[in-house]
């Protein structure tokens, strides 16, 4: 029947070992996070925005989700309004091509954005940060090389920023905890600034009535000449208006417009001019109808 010479079975043929779970490709996972929207899992479309935790979004997708009032996923549960995101201003990579013409595949060799200061690609291999105050994106290495005070200015647009404005993009678990603390610091800072503005407005409102109340001058001092009020001006102008109206009524041109005025009785008008009207004696003696209009003297 065979197998007369004997066989030596191996261990994997006799013992069934539990298969190891499939491991994720770390490079592919990192590349996916830097090129796709956290909300829709679709490819990032400009304008690109970030949340306080450093995750990347397509701004249009966030606006649509907020308008439709759909529940956010767990990774974006802290995004409740447009104040919770900031539009980024990344620097495009000139070496990146959207599509490889020869193979028809997306360019995976180069990242779509780079650091404008030292030229590092924003692919996830290097740590990148964004400033919440202006939205500029630079590498963490470049920001550390530019040493400044606690209230520094952005190296790209010269906008001042503080420590809590530095957000690490797609950071690890430790970075996420730090970003959460910075988010709370920015929220507290906004509340305090609002309270200060309200207090300043209240102080201005209280100061205005006090300034309007001028001290009453003593009777011993000579009284300053009073300024004419609007009512006194109106009273002074009223007689002048009446005088002008009387003079206007005596105007000879105005008298001519009255109904009792007749051209035939006007001593200044010539006989030729008077003959143009029906009140002239030649028109009254006329035995035929008027050639222009209906003559009321003849039916």
């Amino acid at each position: 029947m065979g197998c007369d010479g004997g066989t030596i079975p191996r261990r994997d043929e006799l013992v069934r070992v539990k298969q190891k779970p499939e491991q994720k490709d770390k490079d592919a996972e990192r590349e996916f996070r830097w090129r796709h929207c956290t909300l829709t899992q679709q490819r990032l479309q400009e304008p690109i925005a970030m949340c306080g935790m450093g995750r990347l979004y397509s701004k249009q997708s966030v606006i649509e989700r907020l308008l439709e009032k759909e529940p956010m996923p767990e990774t974006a549960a802290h995004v409740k309004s447009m104040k919770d995101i900031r539009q980024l201003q990344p620097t495009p990579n000139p070496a990146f091509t959207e599509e490889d013409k020869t193979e028809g595949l997306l360019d995976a060799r180069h990242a779509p954005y780079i650091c404008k200061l030292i030229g590092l690609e924003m692919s996830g291999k290097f740590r990148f940060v964004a400033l919440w105050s202006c939205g500029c994106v630079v590498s963490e290495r470049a920001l550390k090389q530019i040493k400044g005070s606690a209230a520094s200015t952005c190296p790209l647009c010269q906008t001042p920023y503080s420590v809590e404005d530095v957000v690490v993009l797609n950071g690890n678990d430790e970075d996420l905890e730090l970003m959460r603390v910075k988010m709370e610091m920015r929220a507290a800072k906004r509340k305090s600034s609002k309270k200060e503005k309200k207090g300043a407005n209240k102080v201005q409102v209280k100061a205005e009535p006090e300034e309007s109340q001028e001290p009453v001058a003593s009777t011993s001092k000579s009284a300053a000449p009073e300024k004419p009020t609007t009512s006194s001006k109106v009273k002074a102008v009223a007689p002048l208006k009446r005088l002008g109206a009387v003079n206007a009524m005596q105007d000879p041109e105005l008298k001519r417009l009255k109904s009792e005025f007749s051209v035939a009785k006007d001593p200044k008008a010539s006989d030729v001019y008077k003959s143009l009207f029906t009140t002239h004696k030649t028109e009254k003696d006329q035995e035929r109808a008027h050639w222009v209009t209906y003559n009321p003297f003849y039916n």
Side-chain angles (χ1 to χ4, degrees):
M1 298 298 291
C3 287
D4 295 334
T7 59
I8 303 173
R10 293 175 301 182
R11 184 177 181 276
D12 58 351
E13 294 175 348
L14 300 174
V15 181
R16 291 184 179 180
V17 183
K18 187 178 180 180
Q19 293 183 355
K20 294 181 180 179
E22 185 180 356
Q23 293 183 352
K24 296 180 181 179
D25 186 358
K26 293 183 179 180
D27 294 336
E29 183 184 3
R30 182 184 67 242
E31 185 178 346
F32 184 86
R33 286 194 300 164
W34 284 90
R35 294 197 179 192
H36 292 77
C37 175
T38 307
L39 195 61
T40 60
Q41 306 301 314
Q42 300 292 329
R43 196 166 181 83
L44 282 172
Q45 300 291 335
E46 292 186 353
I48 300 173
M50 69 167 179
C51 64
M53 303 298 288
R55 298 188 179 98
L56 301 179
Y57 304 86
S58 296
K59 189 176 180 180
Q60 186 67 25
S61 303
V62 179
I63 294 173
E64 291 175 359
R65 186 66 66 94
L66 291 173
L67 289 175
E68 293 171 0
K69 297 183 179 180
E70 295 182 4
M72 291 285 187
E74 187 179 354
T75 53
H78 56 281
V79 180
K80 298 178 181 178
S81 66
M82 293 300 293
K83 293 181 180 179
D84 297 326
I85 63 171
R86 176 68 65 185
Q87 183 174 333
L88 298 179
Q89 299 177 2
T91 304
N93 186 2
F96 174 76
T97 55
E98 190 66 28
E99 188 176 353
D100 191 354
K101 296 180 180 179
T102 56
E103 300 178 1
L105 300 174
L106 292 173
D107 188 1
R109 296 170 298 173
H110 301 285
Y113 304 104
I114 60 171
C115 174
K116 194 173 184 178
L117 299 176
I118 57 179
L120 293 178
E121 291 190 351
M122 201 170 76
S123 60
K125 294 181 181 179
F126 307 99
R127 288 167 63 88
F128 271 73
V129 297
L131 302 179
W132 190 267
S133 56
C134 59
C136 294
V137 181
V138 293
S139 63
E140 191 179 45
R141 185 190 301 178
L143 198 65
K144 285 181 178 179
Q145 289 176 359
I146 303 171
K147 296 180 180 180
S149 59
S152 306
T153 56
C154 174
L156 300 181
C157 64
Q158 305 303 317
T159 303
Y161 71 92
S162 52
V163 179
E164 63 269 12
D165 292 333
V166 181
V167 180
V168 180
L169 299 178
N170 287 329
N172 51 30
D173 295 338
E174 295 180 358
D175 294 329
L176 291 178
E177 291 296 328
L178 181 61
M179 294 305 106
R180 196 180 300 278
V181 174
K182 288 186 176 182
M183 238 165 50
E184 294 173 357
M185 290 172 65
R186 287 195 299 270
K189 195 174 181 179
R190 281 199 304 268
K191 288 181 180 179
S192 62
S193 62
K194 285 182 180 179
K195 288 181 180 179
E196 289 176 0
K197 287 181 180 179
K198 287 182 180 179
N201 292 334
K202 287 181 180 179
V203 169
Q204 289 180 358
V205 169
K206 289 181 180 179
E208 286 176 0
E210 292 177 359
E211 291 176 358
S212 61
Q213 294 177 357
E214 296 179 357
V216 180
S218 60
T219 54
S220 60
K221 294 180 180 180
S222 61
E226 295 182 357
K227 293 183 179 180
T229 59
T230 53
S231 59
S232 62
K233 288 180 181 178
V234 170
K235 289 178 182 178
V237 170
L240 296 175
K241 285 185 177 179
R242 287 190 202 127
L243 217 72
V246 172
N247 294 333
M249 291 298 291
Q250 295 175 357
D251 190 6
E253 293 295 329
L254 189 63
K255 287 182 179 180
R256 292 180 60 186
L257 297 176
K258 291 183 179 180
S259 58
E260 54 212 33
F261 176 78
S262 177
V263 179
K265 298 177 181 178
D266 189 4
K268 294 182 181 179
S270 63
D271 194 32
V272 177
Y273 177 69
K274 291 178 182 179
S275 65
L276 296 175
F277 299 90
T278 56
T279 54
H280 194 254
K281 58 184 179 178
T282 57
E283 292 294 329
K284 290 180 180 179
D285 298 338
Q286 189 176 4
E287 297 180 356
R288 57 185 176 80
H290 199 271
W291 65 277
V292 176
T293 59
Y294 173 75
N295 195 336
F297 295 107
Y298 302 94
N299 293 331

